[in-house]
Amino acid sequence: MATDLKGSYRQLMERSKRLTVLRTASGIIQWDMETKMPPKGVEQRSEQLSLLDLIAHREMVDPSVGTLLDTIEKNRGYSSLDEKQKRNVHLYRKNFDEEAKLPDELVVETSKQAAICVNVWKRAKAAKDFQMFRPELAKMISLRERAAEIMMGVKGTKTPYDALLDAFEPGMTAERITEIFTGMRKGLMDIMKKVESSDVEPDVKLLSRKVPIDAQRKIGQMAMDFVKYDTTSKEAGGRLDETEHPFSTGYFDDVRITTHYYENRWPSSLFSVLHESGHALYEQNIEQSWKWQPIGNAASYGIHESQSRFVENIVGRSPEFLEFMLPKLRKICGPALKGVRLDRFVAAVNQVEASKIRIEADEVTYGMHIIIRFEIERDIFAGKVKVEELPEVWNEKYHKYLGVEIEHDSEGVMQDTHWAGGAFGYFPSYALGNIYGGMFLKKMDSDLPEWRGEVKMGNYQPVGTWLKENVHSKGNLYDPADLVRKVTGKDLEIEPFIYYLKQKMGRIYGF
Amino acid sequence: MATDLKGSYRQLMERSKRLTVLRTASGIIQWDMETKMPPKGVEQRSEQLSLLDLIAHREMVDPSVGTLLDTIEKNRGYSSLDEKQKRNVHLYRKNFDEEAKLPDELVVETSKQAAICVNVWKRAKAAKDFQMFRPELAKMISLRERAAEIMMGVKGTKTPYDALLDAFEPGMTAERITEIFTGMRKGLMDIMKKVESSDVEPDVKLLSRKVPIDAQRKIGQMAMDFVKYDTTSKEAGGRLDETEHPFSTGYFDDVRITTHYYENRWPSSLFSVLHESGHALYEQNIEQSWKWQPIGNAASYGIHESQSRFVENIVGRSPEFLEFMLPKLRKICGPALKGVRLDRFVAAVNQVEASKIRIEADEVTYGMHIIIRFEIERDIFAGKVKVEELPEVWNEKYHKYLGVEIEHDSEGVMQDTHWAGGAFGYFPSYALGNIYGGMFLKKMDSDLPEWRGEVKMGNYQPVGTWLKENVHSKGNLYDPADLVRKVTGKDLEIEPFIYYLKQKMGRIYGF
């Protein structure tokens, strides 16, 4: 019996390895598509990606996997497995149950529709024509509805939308998010009001002075060197490329990031490099011996975002980091930073102002963009909002929550690619990331009271080590809520994030 | 019955597509490893590549493929299939029979040993230490011996080495190559003697004047523009990157090349870009409607080399091309080409001189490097040469055939990666490529007598179209010997290649 258990567990981990190797192979091909592929290759590429998806899906749902899982779970020696082994079995079981219920046909159709829909979205966005996008989006939504219905049954969630949320943030529900976001909204509105009534007006124009791309490359390299994301040494496990939208991808020893350089908006690439480095370091720092196992992955998309935003915002936009960087930036940027004092620079990169575009939003108003998307997603999958109503609903909410007027759908409901790709349930992760980050910061402040002083002297190591030990290395050993509890001793709470913002913005805006 | 045939054929082509999609996916991952992968990623990468190899192997040898093939071949309607369909069935059958006989275990072990052996080869070459390389090479040889024995049975070749040759050059045998190479050796030695006794001494030093890498990039772009290998337009299906050793890889709409820039040897990148563009254009020009089918591939490695060498040498080192390029090169190279007259330039890039390194050899002595490798390979697999004797045998042959003295094994038996990777039987393809090229040239001279004049005016189109129509577009519709006969009306012969060299070198060296 015990041999049976050991042997079956070993076999399960071998399957996990095959599956992970396949997925990482697919990840490289995806990366290539975004960064290097000649434009004509797109059709061949979609064949490659959908075949690898299908092979991975079949590998996952092979009936022998069910047999292995049964053998392990029902074995009388099961309780002798350690915590990590049990978690591996649990994660594999969850994934198997979910995928096994999805028909091959739905998997293939969804993957093809995603390719089509993203393609049409690009064209429709360029043409500012929601009507062009509408029918493909409707098809995508109905495919996701089918999947959500099936997964609701497997996961036992209350609603189909909860099943989608769970795929990105295990254990999270729309009810809980509504509750959290209500608190967050209140806190953010309060800060927004204080900012509005402040006399301080950060001079953001100084950030749009022209800095050549080559100089920006040097700045990006400095940022990566600062956080010790290695893209240059003989043992490097990372690299930086250029794409329209920055992203990160990879696994353990090969994790890559991208950025975009704007001549007239140079801080954009500095902060996107920091953001993506935060993602990359998380992947690289997961406990090495868990490679190829289910626990050898990030805990959730929300935790992932907490790490990227921690590096970008909490560290990267801190007065201490900016103080350390300013003299170096001055040398590289030349005239663009001439005569710019530290306090003006700190205020400019932390300006709070309601805007139309999520990815350009500041730390405070960002959450409002997410609340809008969450409410709309939730209502779509509850049958309360129809596809044709999306532009109107979107524009109304932007007016109501952010006080901005959307002029056309390309700066409105079509600004993001997520829905075109079928990633409903993803958006909340971004805001959860901010909230987790606030909680981690509070704990780190108490564990490492000297961290800001160290950053000011150019030393990221204490922060990097704290994040690695407390978050990164833990991989997927815990569901996000449990991980947060392990690290901070608390259940999810909004206060630390709001406190952090109030302190920081209060200092800049004088409240 | 007819439906059965149609349905089975369609199914076979679907399997062909899956297999090809998998192999092209693997090709992208391989390309990434050579060009972009962070160094630390190497272990993960070998897992990805060997898994994809294994999946493709299993896909290939799935018993249902055998059933499909049987159903088609034994169907009474078989003769109603057209030439292309029959060729597809033939190629699939051949591949199936060969792979089905190779045990999974041998496939996996060979693919792993190749990775190990290439790795050790790199280190041993750097350390000039053949003893370090020897045991891994011996293992690799014995794995290839096992495969060759099995394939000999399937293919019905006379010797195991013939089975290896057939994998690169279908239908070719060691006996036939010995015969061809005997003629080639005689012809080459004759030219070498004439060159030696000539008073002309090309001034090759002028090629080692320093040219900045950025200027070399412009030259490479000009070369690609000249042959219409598109890496820059919105419909581009190619790209150029930088690696230690130039290579090309890809399929139809995504075919990539690499080069290496040497500051003090600028023509190296010009000619390697032309060479690899020749490979790339072949892949891109195969009849588009044959994509994913067995006939939608190159005919052989020898035919492939004929195309790359045609573009590099027959066109690229021709006085006409060099005359067209020289004024443009002058502008880009500046001082490096100051005062260099056309005839001096033509003589320098066509210098004939025995040397130690194959990839640096000229058009005449190149064949001798291949003869040496062929004789050694043949003798290894006939049990006449042992691994430990390789350095001695190598050095003796270099003394005898080329009159050069090898000082250490890194410039001797360890100079090439092929044997480390297990590619025994590959080397003859290079020389066969030259010989095929000579035959194609003779026919093209008679079809397109004006081609040299066109090239002189910067017009590659007639040559490009001739190669596309006669060779590229035909894909793998014929075995190489049949293709050559279709194009030239002749069986393989050495004379046109020797005639071409004599004419060209005679003009330069005055004989």
Side-chain angles (χ1 to χ4, degrees):
Chain A
M1 266 299 196
T3 331
D4 209 25
L5 178 66
K6 263 195 186 164
S8 301
Y9 180 79
R10 204 179 48 238
Q11 278 182 56
L12 190 72
M13 290 306 102
E14 276 162 21
R15 311 231 28 160
S16 172
K17 179 171 176 181
R18 278 173 61 93
L19 197 62
T20 312
V21 169
L22 264 174
R23 284 182 181 152
T24 58
S26 185
I28 295 295
I29 290 176
Q30 188 97 41
W31 173 87
D32 182 84
M33 179 167 75
E34 304 289 343
T35 57
K36 307 292 171 194
M37 184 184 75
K40 207 177 176 188
V42 67
E43 191 221 331
Q44 286 177 199
R45 186 52 47 92
S46 78
E47 298 280 358
Q48 293 158 347
L49 288 171
S50 71
L51 179 60
L52 291 180
D53 270 5
L54 185 65
I55 293 173
H57 173 67
R58 293 211 176 132
E59 173 78 28
M60 182 71 231
V61 303
D62 191 292
S64 67
V65 174
T67 313
L68 275 180
L69 285 165
D70 285 346
T71 311
I72 296 165
E73 289 162 346
K74 289 178 186 154
N75 193 292
R76 72 167 82 164
Y78 174 76
S79 62
S80 70
L81 294 182
D82 68 21
E83 182 194 19
K84 294 186 273 291
Q85 292 170 322
K86 281 180 186 154
R87 176 75 179 171
N88 275 330
V89 175
H90 162 77
L91 290 170
Y92 218 96
R93 161 62 76 188
K94 191 178 172 193
N95 204 187
F96 173 77
D97 285 351
E98 285 163 21
E99 286 218 28
K101 289 286 188 296
L102 294 178
D104 274 17
E105 155 263 318
L106 182 59
V107 171
V108 171
E109 214 184 320
T110 306
S111 135
K112 286 196 176 156
Q113 180 61 18
I116 294 166
C117 200
V118 168
N119 202 15
V120 172
W121 164 75
K122 275 184 195 158
R123 286 188 288 126
K125 186 175 174 180
K128 300 181 184 169
D129 182 357
F130 181 75
Q131 292 315 313
M132 185 195 288
F133 181 43
R134 195 185 46 74
E136 298 304 340
L137 178 62
K139 243 185 248 174
M140 181 45 99
I141 289 174
S142 87
L143 287 166
R144 293 310 291 152
E145 276 172 343
R146 273 183 64 200
E149 290 283 347
I150 295 168
M151 292 198 294
M152 178 174 78
V154 182
K155 295 175 191 245
T157 58
K158 246 185 171 171
T159 66
Y161 182 61
D162 279 354
L164 297 179
L165 281 175
D166 181 83
F168 299 106
E169 209 58 20
M172 192 51 74
T173 64
E175 213 170 80
R176 183 86 183 96
I177 290 179
T178 304
E179 195 182 332
I180 298 161
F181 281 7
T182 306
M184 180 174 78
R185 191 179 152 197
K186 213 177 139 285
L188 297 179
M189 297 284 281
D190 179 39
I191 300 172
M192 282 161 72
K193 264 186 215 138
K194 288 198 167 93
V195 166
E196 262 165 49
S197 52
S198 156
D199 291 337
V200 180
E201 270 200 40
D203 175 14
V204 291
K205 267 195 228 116
L206 68 91
L207 304 179
S208 57
R209 294 183 197 159
K210 199 170 150 180
V211 172
I213 306 299
D214 268 349
Q216 294 192 37
R217 289 210 172 90
K218 281 184 202 147
I219 296 172
Q221 188 57 55
M222 277 173 54
M224 295 186 290
D225 290 345
F226 181 81
V227 298
K228 302 267 184 298
Y229 169 58
D230 182 3
T231 62
T232 52
S233 85
K234 277 190 180 171
E235 282 84 38
R239 59 175 285 132
L240 170 66
D241 292 85
E242 206 177 328
T243 51
E244 182 61 30
H245 299 288
F247 69 91
S248 72
T249 182
Y251 190 68
F252 282 97
D253 296 335
D254 180 356
V255 186
R256 308 172 183 195
I257 70 171
T258 71
T259 188
H260 191 98
Y261 302 104
Y262 299 93
E263 267 205 338
N264 296 316
R265 197 148 44 98
W266 70 268
S268 170
S269 67
L270 166 61
F271 291 111
S272 77
V273 164
L274 286 169
H275 181 100
E276 304 305 337
S277 297
H279 280 304
L281 289 166
Y282 185 3
E283 292 289 336
Q284 293 183 329
N285 285 339
I286 293 173
E287 166 59 40
Q288 194 73 24
S289 63
W290 299 351
K291 204 187 215 184
W292 312 125
Q293 298 176 24
I295 55 173
N297 284 292
S300 76
Y301 287 79
I303 300 293
H304 234 307
E305 286 301 324
S306 80
Q307 296 311 295
S308 53
R309 281 159 193 280
F310 204 100
V311 176
E312 176 194 351
N313 293 329
I314 296 177
V315 177
R317 292 182 203 266
S318 70
E320 294 78 13
F321 175 72
L322 296 170
E323 183 173 341
F324 169 70
M325 287 290 277
L326 193 55
K328 297 172 208 315
L329 291 171
R330 258 191 239 287
K331 273 192 201 147
I332 298 175
C333 295
L337 277 173
K338 199 167 170 156
V340 175
R341 287 199 330 266
L342 178 64
D343 55 351
R344 275 179 71 208
F345 185 49
V346 171
V349 303
N350 283 291
Q351 189 213 26
V352 177
E353 186 165 67
S355 66
K356 300 172 186 177
I357 306 294
R358 176 184 62 87
I359 59 172
E360 291 165 11
D362 58 81
E363 284 185 82
V364 178
T365 61
Y366 191 92
M368 306 304 286
H369 292 263
I370 298 304
I371 291 174
I372 293 169
R373 285 157 178 76
F374 162 69
E375 292 182 355
I376 296 177
E377 284 186 347
R378 185 192 56 192
D379 292 351
I380 290 172
F381 285 85
K384 290 183 193 163
V385 171
K386 293 198 188 84
V387 182
E388 55 269 30
E389 298 166 342
L390 282 173
E392 204 191 322
V393 174
W394 183 282
N395 298 354
E396 272 172 18
K397 284 187 192 278
Y398 263 80
H399 173 78
K400 186 174 152 201
Y401 293 172
L402 281 160
V404 299
E405 306 307 319
I406 304 298
E407 279 161 44
H408 54 78
D409 297 329
S410 300
E411 60 171 32
V413 69
M414 291 199 295
Q415 69 181 258
D416 293 314
T417 185
H418 301 61
W419 291 347
F424 295 94
Y426 190 115
F427 282 122
S429 309
Y430 293 114
L432 291 169
N434 284 335
I435 299 168
Y436 296 146
M439 294 179 72
F440 294 150
L441 172 63
K442 186 178 170 188
K443 184 63 168 52
M444 194 178 80
D445 273 338
S446 106
D447 289 354
L448 283 182
E450 73 288 6
W451 78 265
R452 289 187 185 269
E454 292 293 331
V455 164
K456 198 194 287 191
M457 293 187 304
N459 183 15
Y460 179 73
Q461 209 208 316
V463 175
T465 306
W466 191 92
L467 291 174
K468 177 175 176 171
E469 282 176 4
N470 286 280
V471 183
H472 303 175
S473 65
K474 303 284 188 262
N476 197 0
L477 190 56
Y478 310 110
D479 273 353
D482 296 331
L483 175 65
V484 168
R485 210 175 292 115
K486 291 260 173 196
V487 177
T488 67
K490 304 266 186 160
D491 285 327
L492 187 57
E493 54 178 12
I494 186 71
E495 290 73 16
F497 175 55
I498 299 296
Y499 175 81
Y500 151 74
L501 284 181
K502 261 193 195 145
Q503 289 294 107
K504 182 178 185 179
M505 300 311 170
R507 211 167 126 187
I508 292 167
Y509 284 93
F511 57 79
Chain B
M1 266 302 196
T3 331
D4 208 26
L5 178 65
K6 262 193 186 166
S8 301
Y9 181 77
R10 205 179 48 239
Q11 276 182 57
L12 191 71
M13 289 308 101
E14 275 161 22
R15 310 230 30 159
S16 172
K17 180 172 175 180
R18 278 172 62 93
L19 197 62
T20 313
V21 169
L22 265 173
R23 285 182 181 152
T24 58
S26 186
I28 295 295
I29 291 175
Q30 188 97 39
W31 173 87
D32 182 83
M33 179 168 76
E34 303 290 343
T35 57
K36 306 293 171 193
M37 185 184 75
K40 207 177 176 189
V42 65
E43 191 221 330
Q44 287 177 200
R45 186 51 48 92
S46 77
E47 298 281 357
Q48 292 158 347
L49 287 172
S50 71
L51 179 60
L52 291 180
D53 270 5
L54 184 65
I55 292 173
H57 173 68
R58 293 212 176 133
E59 173 76 27
M60 182 71 231
V61 304
D62 190 292
S64 67
V65 175
T67 312
L68 274 180
L69 285 165
D70 285 346
T71 310
I72 296 165
E73 289 162 347
K74 288 177 187 156
N75 193 290
R76 71 167 83 166
Y78 175 76
S79 63
S80 71
L81 293 181
D82 69 20
E83 182 194 19
K84 296 186 270 291
Q85 292 170 322
K86 281 180 186 153
R87 177 75 179 172
N88 275 330
V89 176
H90 163 77
L91 291 170
Y92 219 96
R93 161 62 75 188
K94 190 177 174 194
N95 204 187
F96 173 77
D97 285 351
E98 285 164 23
E99 286 218 28
K101 290 284 188 298
L102 295 179
D104 274 16
E105 155 263 318
L106 182 58
V107 171
V108 171
E109 214 184 320
T110 306
S111 134
K112 285 195 178 158
Q113 181 61 18
I116 294 166
C117 200
V118 168
N119 202 16
V120 172
W121 164 75
K122 275 183 196 160
R123 285 187 289 125
K125 187 175 173 179
K128 299 180 186 170
D129 182 358
F130 180 76
Q131 292 316 313
M132 185 195 287
F133 182 43
R134 196 185 45 74
E136 299 303 339
L137 179 61
K139 243 185 246 174
M140 182 45 99
I141 290 173
S142 86
L143 287 166
R144 292 312 288 154
E145 275 171 344
R146 273 183 63 200
E149 291 282 347
I150 294 169
M151 291 198 294
M152 178 174 78
V154 183
K155 295 175 192 246
T157 58
K158 246 182 167 172
T159 65
Y161 181 61
D162 279 352
L164 297 179
L165 281 175
D166 181 83
F168 298 107
E169 209 59 19
M172 193 51 74
T173 64
E175 212 170 81
R176 183 83 183 95
I177 290 179
T178 304
E179 196 182 331
I180 299 161
F181 281 7
T182 306
M184 179 174 79
R185 192 180 152 197
K186 212 177 139 286
L188 298 179
M189 296 286 279
D190 179 38
I191 299 171
M192 283 161 72
K193 266 188 212 134
K194 287 198 167 90
V195 165
E196 263 166 50
S197 53
S198 157
D199 291 337
V200 180
E201 270 202 39
D203 175 14
V204 291
K205 268 195 228 116
L206 68 90
L207 303 179
S208 59
R209 295 183 196 159
K210 198 169 151 180
V211 173
I213 306 299
D214 267 347
Q216 294 191 37
R217 289 210 173 90
K218 282 185 201 148
I219 296 172
Q221 189 56 54
M222 277 174 53
M224 294 186 290
D225 290 345
F226 181 82
V227 298
K228 302 266 185 298
Y229 169 58
D230 182 3
T231 61
T232 52
S233 85
K234 277 190 179 171
E235 283 83 39
R239 58 175 287 133
L240 169 66
D241 291 86
E242 207 177 329
T243 51
E244 182 61 30
H245 299 288
F247 69 91
S248 73
T249 182
Y251 191 68
F252 283 97
D253 297 334
D254 180 356
V255 186
R256 309 173 183 194
I257 69 170
T258 71
T259 190
H260 192 98
Y261 302 104
Y262 298 93
E263 268 205 337
N264 296 318
R265 196 149 43 101
W266 68 268
S268 170
S269 67
L270 166 61
F271 291 112
S272 77
V273 165
L274 286 169
H275 181 99
E276 303 305 338
S277 296
H279 280 304
L281 288 166
Y282 186 3
E283 292 289 336
Q284 292 183 329
N285 285 338
I286 293 172
E287 167 58 39
Q288 194 73 21
S289 63
W290 299 352
K291 204 187 215 184
W292 311 126
Q293 298 176 25
I295 56 173
N297 283 293
S300 75
Y301 287 80
I303 300 292
H304 235 308
E305 286 301 324
S306 81
Q307 297 310 294
S308 54
R309 281 159 194 280
F310 204 99
V311 176
E312 176 194 351
N313 293 330
I314 295 178
V315 176
R317 291 183 204 265
S318 70
E320 293 78 13
F321 175 73
L322 296 170
E323 184 174 339
F324 169 71
M325 287 291 276
L326 192 55
K328 297 173 207 316
L329 292 171
R330 258 191 238 289
K331 273 191 201 149
I332 299 176
C333 296
L337 276 173
K338 201 169 167 153
V340 175
R341 285 196 332 265
L342 178 65
D343 56 350
R344 274 179 72 208
F345 185 49
V346 172
V349 302
N350 282 291
Q351 189 214 25
V352 176
E353 185 165 70
S355 66
K356 300 172 185 177
I357 306 293
R358 176 184 63 85
I359 59 170
E360 292 165 11
D362 58 80
E363 284 184 82
V364 177
T365 60
Y366 191 93
M368 307 303 287
H369 291 264
I370 298 305
I371 291 174
I372 293 169
R373 285 157 179 78
F374 162 69
E375 291 182 356
I376 296 178
E377 284 187 348
R378 185 192 56 193
D379 292 350
I380 290 172
F381 285 86
K384 291 184 193 161
V385 172
K386 293 198 189 85
V387 182
E388 54 269 31
E389 298 166 342
L390 281 174
E392 204 191 322
V393 173
W394 183 281
N395 297 354
E396 273 174 15
K397 285 189 192 279
Y398 263 80
H399 173 77
K400 186 172 153 203
Y401 292 173
L402 281 161
V404 298
E405 307 305 321
I406 304 298
E407 278 162 44
H408 54 79
D409 297 329
S410 299
E411 58 170 33
V413 69
M414 289 199 296
Q415 69 180 260
D416 294 313
T417 184
H418 302 60
W419 291 347
F424 294 95
Y426 189 115
F427 281 123
S429 309
Y430 293 114
L432 291 170
N434 284 336
I435 298 168
Y436 295 146
M439 294 179 71
F440 293 150
L441 172 63
K442 186 177 170 189
K443 183 64 169 54
M444 194 178 79
D445 274 338
S446 105
D447 289 352
L448 283 183
E450 72 288 4
W451 79 264
R452 288 187 185 269
E454 292 293 331
V455 164
K456 198 194 283 189
M457 292 187 304
N459 183 16
Y460 179 72
Q461 209 208 315
V463 175
T465 306
W466 191 92
L467 292 174
K468 177 175 176 171
E469 282 175 4
N470 286 281
V471 183
H472 303 176
S473 64
K474 305 283 188 261
N476 197 359
L477 191 56
Y478 310 109
D479 272 353
D482 296 330
L483 176 65
V484 168
R485 210 175 293 114
K486 291 260 174 194
V487 177
T488 67
K490 306 263 186 161
D491 284 329
L492 187 57
E493 54 178 13
I494 186 72
E495 290 74 16
F497 175 55
I498 298 297
Y499 174 81
Y500 152 73
L501 284 182
K502 263 194 190 142
Q503 289 294 106
K504 182 177 185 178
M505 300 312 170
R507 213 167 123 185
I508 292 168
Y509 284 94
F511 57 81

